[in-house]
Amino acid sequence: MTTTFLDKLKFYLKSVVFGSLIIGCALYGVLASIALRIINKIQYSQYTVARAFYHSFSALLGLKINIVNEKYLHSNPAIYISNHQSALDIYVLGRVFQPGYFVTGKKSLKYVPFLGWFMALSNTFFLDRNKSEKARKVLDGALVQLKKQDRALFIFPEGTRSGKEELDFLPFKKGAFHLAKQAGIPIVPIVISNTSNIFNAKRKLFNSGEINIEVLPPVSTEGLVTNEDVTILANKIREDMLKVYKRLGYSKATGAKPCEDQQAVPNTDSGELTDTETEIISEETPLVSKD
């Protein structure tokens, strides 16, 4: 795929819009979180900001998301997991997030103007990568809240953005699965079509188009006892997600020619940027026992 001068110009201009929207929505999030705390509706804080970002981003940058099995997004308490591709995933979360969804984030993000303030006010669970014991205590508290208040935690088990143009995942880390086992709550897998033909930082591409998402049924963690049990479940879920990922294929990029190994994805029935968002809702340091 050849990137033209106009493609690069479009990439940088859209990236500026992207960054500006993140800052603007974070500022809105600070105000919204304060208001929601006053009326004791803090579970709507990250949801309302996610939706504001999704709708403004869609309108300004010409993107659309189709979701299959959206009903499974209401399976709280649960831990939701998804493949992690690029900075564009923060837009996807704007559509996926529901009331009661929360994230984990690197502790240093707490001090980032606007974004960190919003995250702190909206009950983000901040983890200190250098102090695993403190991080475990934070997550223990998070799990109690999930079960007691029917809430959810969103995690990218790949741990970092894969940036893959082929239909494959990075290996899954086991933290999310250990947490689900510990809390006795299900895992809900979410599969996002490959978006490398819409957003590609390496090739400097930022196109309009449609992204397809399929939510898989909740997977019970009952009966898990050993670390080996967790590993088997994690591998099975990854395998199931990968099958769906290959079926979904590539997102539909408007006005773009796909690579030879990419095929346009039919519509489904609906039901250079900073690395800041990389530190959100990803696997962190070892927080629970691993294999």
Side-chain angles (χ1 to χ4, degrees):
M1 180 188 296
T2 303
T3 304
T4 67
F5 171 78
L6 288 179
D7 287 330
K8 292 181 179 179
L9 179 61
K10 182 169 64 173
F11 173 84
Y12 287 114
L13 289 176
K14 286 191 172 184
S15 294
V16 170
V17 175
F18 193 170
S20 299
L21 285 175
I22 290 176
I23 295 173
C25 287
L27 177 58
Y28 162 69
V30 171
L31 302 176
S33 295
I34 293 173
L36 289 167
R37 278 185 175 275
I38 292 173
I39 62 175
N40 199 29
K41 294 290 184 181
I42 195 62
Q43 68 270 27
Y44 288 92
S45 58
Q46 295 191 9
Y47 163 76
T48 187
V49 175
R51 281 296 189 273
F53 182 77
Y54 170 74
H55 289 299
S56 56
F57 195 101
S58 297
L60 290 174
L61 298 179
L63 284 170
K64 176 184 177 182
I65 290 178
N66 304 308
I67 299 183
V68 173
N69 296 329
E70 187 170 356
K71 61 185 178 182
Y72 294 134
L73 294 177
H74 305 279
S75 301
N76 298 0
I79 291 181
Y80 294 83
I81 64 171
S82 171
N83 53 311
H84 195 13
Q85 302 179 67
S86 70
L88 196 61
D89 289 342
I90 197 171
Y91 165 68
V92 172
L93 294 182
R95 178 64 181 86
V96 168
F97 259 44
Q98 305 294 324
Y101 279 38
F102 293 92
V103 300
T104 64
K106 185 179 176 182
K107 187 177 180 181
S108 60
L109 286 176
K110 184 187 295 187
Y111 308 105
V112 175
F114 304 124
L115 178 62
W117 305 341
F118 156 61
M119 292 174 69
L121 286 167
S122 63
N123 280 8
T124 295
F125 300 105
F126 290 104
L127 306 176
D128 189 338
R129 288 186 170 185
N130 299 316
K131 297 179 180 178
S132 295
E133 187 60 34
K134 286 188 176 181
R136 273 192 287 268
K137 289 182 180 179
V138 170
L139 286 174
D140 285 344
L143 295 180
V144 170
Q145 287 191 41
L146 293 188
K147 293 196 70 174
K148 189 175 181 180
Q149 302 174 359
D150 283 338
R151 296 186 180 178
L153 195 61
F154 198 106
I155 295 175
F156 289 121
E158 288 172 283
T160 189
R161 297 178 292 193
S162 69
K164 287 181 175 289
E165 295 183 19
E166 64 272 22
L167 298 176
D168 197 8
F169 299 151
L170 294 175
F172 279 11
K173 297 183 179 181
K174 307 300 190 305
F177 304 92
H178 280 288
L179 289 174
K181 167 186 170 289
Q182 181 180 337
I185 57 178
I187 292 277
V188 181
I190 300 170
V191 184
I192 307 164
S193 60
N194 188 295
T195 57
S196 63
N197 56 349
I198 290 182
F199 179 89
N200 192 315
K202 180 180 179 181
R203 297 180 182 274
K204 299 297 183 289
L205 293 176
F206 204 149
N207 295 309
S208 301
E210 295 184 19
I211 300 168
N212 296 296
I213 296 175
E214 185 165 334
V215 188
L216 279 60
V219 180
S220 174
T221 57
E222 291 183 8
L224 298 183
V225 178
T226 66
N227 286 345
E228 184 179 0
D229 292 336
V230 173
T231 297
I232 291 172
L233 180 68
N235 290 340
K236 177 64 167 60
I237 290 176
R238 183 182 183 278
E239 181 181 330
D240 291 342
M241 291 177 66
L242 194 54
K243 289 178 181 177
V244 175
Y245 187 51
K246 290 180 178 180
R247 173 165 54 78
L248 289 178
Y250 294 86
S251 303
K252 182 180 179 181
T254 304
K257 294 182 179 180
C259 296
E260 291 181 0
D261 60 340
Q262 295 182 359
Q263 296 179 357
V265 180
N267 289 340
T268 55
D269 294 332
S270 292
E272 193 99 74
L273 299 175
T274 71
D275 286 336
T276 299
E277 67 270 24
T278 307
E279 307 297 345
I280 307 172
I281 40 189
S282 297
E283 292 277 10
E284 305 288 343
T285 52
L287 305 174
V288 289
S289 58
K290 294 190 178 182
D291 304 337

